[in-house]
Amino acid sequence: MILKPVQEVMSKVADLNFYARWNPWQMMEPGSKMTIKGNPQAPGHEYWWSGKKIGEGRLILRSIDQKHVHFSLEFIRPWKSLANDNWLFEEWGNGETKVTWQNNGDLPYPMARLMGPF
């Protein structure tokens, strides 16, 4: 639960300029490189990252509507993998937002074997 209105929360998630501020993987390696391209909250908006600990990849905004933000997630290094990040934002109470974040995709060997039980 986030104590902010839906549109305010969605606007931050769909603007990848804010991504490094709340993304736990980016926080693991503050000195990593990042590049942001495109218009915030618009399809094609991209976030590229590269670092020794966090590897390399990109997040691309695919679509946005009144309740959803959809991203394509591509891991390049240390392994190649594609996934989808889907976000659902729901009004919850008085000016509060319930956020559901779903990620799905394939994990290559050996990551699939290590992460499968989770």
Side-chain angles (χ1 to χ4, degrees):
M1 188 84 57
I2 299 173
L3 302 175
K4 299 285 183 182
V6 168
Q7 290 305 313
E8 186 176 341
V9 177
M10 280 186 69
S11 70
K12 297 287 193 261
V13 171
D15 183 343
L16 296 172
N17 292 291
F18 290 96
Y19 192 65
R21 295 183 192 175
W22 61 266
N23 182 283
W25 293 279
Q26 193 74 38
M27 289 181 205
M28 285 178 21
E29 190 174 356
S32 62
K33 295 179 187 176
M34 65 178 178
T35 304
I36 300 166
K37 299 178 181 179
N39 295 321
Q41 303 175 24
H45 187 41
E46 294 184 31
Y47 179 92
W48 287 80
W49 73 86
S50 179
K52 290 180 181 181
K53 289 182 186 177
I54 63 172
E56 182 178 357
R58 68 182 178 153
L59 188 65
I60 304 167
L61 194 142
R62 284 192 338 259
S63 64
I64 185 170
D65 62 34
Q66 296 294 342
K67 294 173 82 172
H68 304 91
V69 177
H70 300 284
F71 292 100
S72 293
L73 177 59
E74 179 182 9
F75 296 100
I76 298 168
R77 182 179 53 81
W79 64 82
K80 291 185 182 265
S81 180
L82 298 174
N84 293 308
D85 268 359
N86 300 305
W87 297 71
L88 169 64
F89 303 87
E90 299 174 277
E91 177 98 19
W92 199 264
N94 188 17
E96 298 173 344
T97 303
K98 177 184 174 189
V99 179
T100 305
W101 179 11
Q102 175 200 37
N103 177 281
N104 62 45
D106 294 325
L107 286 174
Y109 182 84
M111 289 308 296
R113 186 169 189 109
L114 296 171
M115 299 299 287
F118 299 103

